[in-house]
Amino acid sequence: MARWLLSRLVFVLCPLVRSSSDRIIYFLHLHKAGGSYVCALAGKNGARHTPTDNCNVYVSAAGAQVARAMGHPCCGDTVAAQRSFAAKSSLTFVANEFDLAPEMDVDSFVYVTQLRPPLERYVSHFMHVSRAFSRSFDFDDWLLRQPDNWYLRKLCGRQCSEVPRGRLDQSHYEIAKGKLEKFEVVLLLEDHAGNNVLFEAVLGWMQHPESKVNAAPASQTVNGTQHKDALVERAKNKKFEDMVAWDALLYYYAEYLHYQQVGKARSWQEYSERNKECTGPCCSTACSQYR
């Protein structure tokens, strides 16, 4: 009887979050951090998604899915709007390559994102633009024309996206950090093995080939002269690290969340399974003397 009463108390006091299989996967696509690979992977694993436009989904003011030119990034600003979209949509995977909404409905969506070291993301963007236009832009000048702290701006949302360069502060960081904490899957571009653990354990994606889309090797060049690693070092030497100071903090926190999630999905479960027969703290008839 006491156990039943306790279970009812937990039910009343702790709102239930649906399992990942019941919720739509919401992917915040941070530009040039390997998001195209995640979109492609969703299709390989049978997700119902929109394979064009990097899996981005757009909604009208009424909450209906519409073409990009007619709507806003998925899936509404409020929990109520997001819940309404989720209840009507047949999709199981949606992506947003723009600003994260002010509110997050964790009961209807499994939030997923992927990051890479912040300066590497800017360099990758620069190389992408240079290839697309077949031109050799001046790297320093190009960086000066970019918004600073891209991760913070996208995670924080519209209240941060138009803040003048150099004016983002601790309050903006705390908003972005608080939102990042709600992501059940934080992927790191450089930890392919860890990402696969999360793909399988949280999303149920068993198909994850080794090749990654838009993950250029360090030796790749633009017009045969500018190496990716060399550009990262150049940005550091030119003191451009200041423009990613808040992003660096977010990235360190993302690393913590990622390895915590991987550990929970793999190491802790395996460790517990290996020691399931233990009846004492030392898993032995007697502990060694330590005092």
Side-chain angles (χ1 to χ4, degrees), residues 2-197:
R3 183 177 297 176
W4 181 85
L5 288 173
L6 179 61
S7 68
R8 297 308 299 167
L9 183 63
V10 171
F11 179 83
V12 171
L13 295 179
C14 301
L16 289 179
V17 175
R18 291 150 56 190
S19 69
S20 57
S21 61
D22 296 331
R23 293 176 287 159
I24 298 173
I25 298 169
Y26 181 109
F27 180 59
L28 180 65
H29 183 163
L30 297 168
H31 189 55
K32 304 313 298 175
S36 297
Y37 170 71
V38 179
C39 171
L41 208 56
K44 289 181 181 296
N45 284 274
R48 294 192 298 274
H49 68 317
T50 54
T52 58
D53 196 16
N54 270 342
C55 296
N56 281 282
V57 172
Y58 304 91
V59 296
S60 66
Q65 184 177 343
V66 295
R68 177 173 183 169
M70 301 171 60
H72 304 283
C74 196
C75 301
D77 285 348
T78 65
V79 167
Q82 295 160 17
R83 190 162 296 168
S84 176
F85 173 88
K88 300 173 185 176
S89 179
S90 62
L91 298 174
T92 59
F93 180 94
V94 299
N96 172 15
E97 206 167 347
F98 300 90
D99 298 329
L100 189 58
E103 298 180 11
M104 298 171 64
D105 180 16
V106 297
D107 190 48
S108 300
F109 297 88
V110 180
Y111 286 87
V112 180
T113 193
Q114 179 162 270
L115 297 85
R116 71 190 302 176
L119 273 180
E120 287 188 14
R121 193 208 67 80
Y122 279 96
V123 168
S124 180
H125 188 188
F126 170 75
M127 297 183 75
H128 171 75
V129 170
S130 298
R131 289 192 302 269
F133 290 93
S134 300
R135 289 180 56 189
S136 183
F137 296 98
D138 180 81
F139 180 57
D140 296 358
D141 180 66
W142 181 88
L143 270 182
L144 288 170
R145 297 171 185 272
Q146 299 303 304
D148 59 352
N149 296 292
W150 184 259
Y151 291 154
L152 188 153
R153 292 177 184 274
K154 297 298 105 178
L155 282 160
C156 177
R158 288 193 296 274
Q159 67 190 100
C160 294
S161 61
E162 297 302 320
V163 173
R165 186 185 177 111
R167 306 284 180 81
L168 293 167
D169 58 27
Q170 184 75 31
S171 65
H172 301 119
Y173 168 75
E174 293 297 339
I175 294 171
K177 179 174 177 282
K179 287 184 174 180
L180 185 59
E181 288 176 345
K182 297 181 180 180
F183 281 74
E184 292 178 51
V185 177
V186 176
L187 306 167
L188 300 178
L189 182 65
E190 63 273 21
D191 186 20
H192 197 58
N195 293 345
N196 288 345
V197 171

Side-chain angles (χ1 to χ4, degrees), residues 237-289:
N237 293 335
K238 293 280 188 175
K239 308 299 183 184
F240 279 112
E241 284 180 306
D242 290 346
M243 73 178 287
V244 296
W246 293 113
D247 270 8
L249 289 178
L250 277 174
Y251 181 75
Y252 296 146
Y253 190 59
E255 285 187 310
Y256 161 75
L257 292 174
H258 171 79
Y259 289 113
Q260 183 185 58
Q261 292 167 358
V262 172
K264 183 178 180 180
R266 180 180 60 188
S267 301
W268 298 345
Q269 292 178 357
E270 292 176 357
Y271 181 74
S272 178
E273 180 66 21
R274 290 198 307 270
N275 292 279
K276 65 181 180 181
E277 303 299 330
C278 294
T279 57
C282 307
C283 204
S284 178
T285 55
C287 292
S288 60
Q289 293 301 312

